[in-house]
Amino acid sequence: MVNFTMKVYGCQMNVYDSDKLRTALKNRGWTECSGDEYADVVIFIGCSVRDKAEQKVWSELGRFSSSWEKHRRPIVAVTGCIAQNIGKKMLQRYPWVRLVSGPRHIGLVPDGLEAALSDAAAGTKGRVILLDEDPRAFTDIELGDIPYSRLNRWRAFITIAHGCDNFCAYCIVPYVRGRFLSRPFPEIIKEAQMLADDGVIEITLLGQNVNSYPNFSALLGTVAKIPGIELVRFVTSLPQDFSDGIITAMAEEPKICPSVNLPIQAGSNEVLKRMNRKYTREEYFSLVERIRARLPEVGITSDLIVGFPGESEQDFEQSIDALSRVRFDQVHTAAYSIREGTAAARFPDQLPLEVRMERLNRVNAHQNKISFEINQKLTYKEYRILLDDHAPKGEGLIQGRTPTDKVVLLKGNESLLGSFARVKITNAENWCLNGEII
């Protein structure tokens, strides 16, 4: 019997992959444990999109030195886009890293782990390397009709497409997750039905550019009509592929939540062009207007990079102006960081770190004020909310999300989880709301 533990970093697609991998290992008789000290195998599913995410995994890997020297346990596997990007460096630095796998080889990881365990038991120095060489190939974990093991019983993710073909100048995704590949429509619907039969109430459809999926509006509507599914969400959307058909599907189907993540990335047309983003600020603003015309209470979040190579003070001020014009509910901001292999890494006009961080602080202060003002206006409003998890901080608190994707914290116990409640918002913060069950 093999004990394993998993550590998941980064995007929701990594959470989805971890759920499928966990299920496959349990089907082989492996047992998931809560801590490294009990594990024979520790599996990292890591992100490489930002440098900070990579550094978290590097620091975690170094902690296994003493245990490896004394017991030759645990063996460590690194999977996901971080392995595709820097897995070979990890093999060179840490002898306890025995397997690295790119995200498009996840289906080979269970066999690879068993091979790595056998090599370690025999005292050999063999390593299992499953890095993606063909950016269009994909080997998935096949579970048949077995529902995958999830950390949350009522919410589930479904990846509907892998990779990306857009090659934004700053982005490493096409290099570490490969080219765009959509899953067959019937396969997605079958998986959603299986999850509904297993008690799932809310499904989030995932993709690097989820609305690039062929006839995405039809897919949204079909998932929403599955008996048992009450809430449907999706992330992340590409502005130029956000069709009026998607807006119509959201307006006409009440189970599709009125929330949109729509990365703008920059407010300056010059910077957008250098980023290889295929829209202008004017086209972005027009899309937001069309969405809000059909969905007046929609929640819109975004992603924004400051300090991109060559970004002038005027360019930066245009990003500030975009936040003021759109008034996003939330914006996930980042100071530009070089990702080796991308086009922007070769641009000559890199900005000093102090300039990038100063602009990040300014844009965060500006957006925090907007987010707080928007959230304050929701005080005393009531929402029907699925209570789906314990709050990460705060004893005796549980949480759910409004249809517009705002986290609501409230007092409650385990017995309430998995049920809907009418909740009144009592006060607001920048990143969440507080409420009470009425």
Side-chain angles (χ1 to χ4, degrees):
M1 187 170 64
V2 180
N3 293 326
F4 73 97
T5 189
M6 304 184 75
K7 297 176 180 290
V8 184
Y9 300 88
C11 69
Q12 293 158 320
M13 296 179 79
N14 283 352
V15 175
Y16 173 78
D17 287 347
S18 72
D19 286 343
K20 296 187 76 172
L21 181 55
R22 173 186 295 108
T23 306
L25 295 177
K26 287 184 175 181
N27 289 346
R28 294 180 179 225
W30 290 30
T31 301
E32 187 171 15
C33 57
S34 58
D36 301 347
E37 64 272 23
Y38 305 111
D40 302 300
V41 179
V42 177
I43 304 164
F44 288 85
I45 299 183
C47 176
S48 201
V49 172
R50 296 180 181 176
D51 181 66
K52 185 177 180 180
E54 284 186 356
Q55 296 307 318
K56 287 181 181 179
V57 178
W58 275 118
S59 63
E60 283 280 310
L61 288 176
R63 297 192 303 104
F64 295 98
S65 175
S66 176
S67 176
W68 181 258
E69 290 176 0
K70 292 178 181 177
H71 310 293
R72 287 295 186 268
R73 280 290 190 274
I75 71 164
V76 175
V78 183
T79 70
C81 57
I82 190 172
Q84 184 66 25
N85 191 34
I86 56 175
K88 289 184 178 179
K89 294 179 181 179
M90 292 175 168
L91 289 173
Q92 294 168 358
R93 183 178 298 186
Y94 299 123
W96 45 91
V97 176
R98 313 299 288 185
L99 179 148
V100 293
S101 169
R104 297 174 86 100
H105 271 85
I106 186 172
L108 302 181
V109 170
D111 285 344
L113 288 172
E114 292 194 341
L117 272 173
S118 297
D119 286 342
T124 64
K125 297 182 179 180
R127 305 286 185 90
V128 178
I129 301 175
L130 302 171
L131 298 180
D132 307 335
E133 296 181 358
D134 182 347
R136 297 188 184 277
F138 191 88
T139 305
D140 205 352
I141 293 176
E142 300 297 335
L143 297 175
D145 295 329
I146 303 172
Y148 52 84
S149 177
R150 306 174 307 280
L151 296 182
N152 190 300
R153 291 168 52 192
W154 305 283
R155 286 192 292 117
F157 303 121
I158 299 179
T159 294
I160 67 169
H162 306 279
C164 178
D165 285 346
N166 287 289
F167 290 93
C168 297
Y170 54 83
C171 184
I172 200 171
V173 166
Y175 306 100
V176 295
R177 282 198 171 269
R179 305 299 295 274
F180 185 83
L181 174 68
S182 57
R183 294 177 62 195
F185 194 107
E187 183 180 298
I188 297 168
I189 300 306
K190 178 182 177 182
E191 185 171 335
Q193 182 64 67
M194 179 184 68
L195 290 167
D197 293 343
D198 196 44
V200 166
I201 300 170
E202 176 184 318
I203 284 179
T204 301
L205 303 178
L206 303 177
Q208 232 67 53
N209 304 304
V210 69
N211 57 332
S212 301
Y213 188 92
N215 204 359
F216 179 62
S217 57
L219 180 65
L220 272 176
T222 304
V223 172
K225 289 178 172 59
I226 293 174
I229 300 301
E230 296 292 330
L231 301 168
V232 179
R233 305 180 191 268
F234 58 96
V235 288
T236 289
S237 295
L238 192 65
Q240 65 262 33
D241 286 347
F242 204 104
S243 68
D244 288 340
I246 297 173
I247 300 173
T248 297
M250 296 179 70
E252 294 180 354
E253 174 50 68
K255 290 184 180 181
I256 303 174
C257 295
S259 63
V260 176
N261 179 249
L262 196 67
I264 188 171
Q265 300 300 9
S268 157
N269 282 337
E270 179 60 30
V271 174
L272 287 170
K273 184 177 179 180
R274 287 166 60 83
M275 287 179 164
N276 196 33
R277 300 290 285 183
K278 299 174 179 65
Y279 52 86
T280 64
R281 61 184 271 133
E282 292 79 16
E283 289 168 338
Y284 186 95
F285 296 153
S286 175
L287 172 59
V288 169
E289 288 176 2
R290 296 202 306 276
I291 293 172
R292 284 180 168 156
R294 297 293 305 275
L295 301 161
E297 295 191 14
V298 68
I300 301 181
T301 61
S302 193
D303 297 348
L304 180 75
I305 297 171
V306 299
F308 188 75
E311 180 189 72
S312 66
E313 180 65 24
Q314 183 180 10
D315 291 326
F316 172 73
E317 289 296 337
Q318 287 185 301
S319 288
I320 293 287
D321 175 69
L323 300 188
S324 298
R325 289 186 58 169
V326 177
R327 290 186 64 83
F328 296 104
D329 290 72
Q330 290 291 346
V331 179
H332 303 285
T333 60
Y336 170 77
S337 62
I338 292 176
R339 311 308 293 136
E340 294 298 335
T342 62
R346 301 186 294 272
F347 288 178
D349 42 3
Q350 306 287 331
L351 299 185
L353 177 62
E354 57 268 24
V355 173
R356 288 179 276 150
M357 295 310 298
E358 188 271 340
R359 289 179 180 175
L360 180 64
N361 291 335
R362 282 162 62 192
V363 80
N364 283 343
H366 187 77
Q367 178 58 41
N368 285 344
K369 183 174 182 293
I370 293 172
S371 296
F372 184 64
E373 289 171 353
I374 292 172
N375 286 352
Q376 266 194 316
K377 292 180 179 179
L378 302 180
T379 305
Y380 305 121
K381 285 201 170 186
E382 298 176 9
Y383 296 96
R384 178 177 179 261
I385 290 177
L386 172 64
L387 307 175
D388 59 34
D389 208 348
H390 295 281
K393 295 181 181 179
E395 187 175 350
L397 293 180
I398 58 176
Q399 68 180 32
R401 288 181 295 164
T402 67
T404 56
D405 208 31
K406 294 181 182 292
V407 173
V408 182
L409 307 180
L410 57 152
K411 291 182 179 179
N413 55 45
E414 183 91 20
S415 65
L416 294 172
L417 296 181
S419 63
F420 283 92
R422 194 75 183 170
V423 173
K424 181 170 73 174
I425 305 304
T426 55
N427 59 72
E429 302 176 37
N430 289 345
W431 287 92
C432 69
L433 304 170
N434 296 280
E436 62 182 16
I437 296 174
I438 58 172

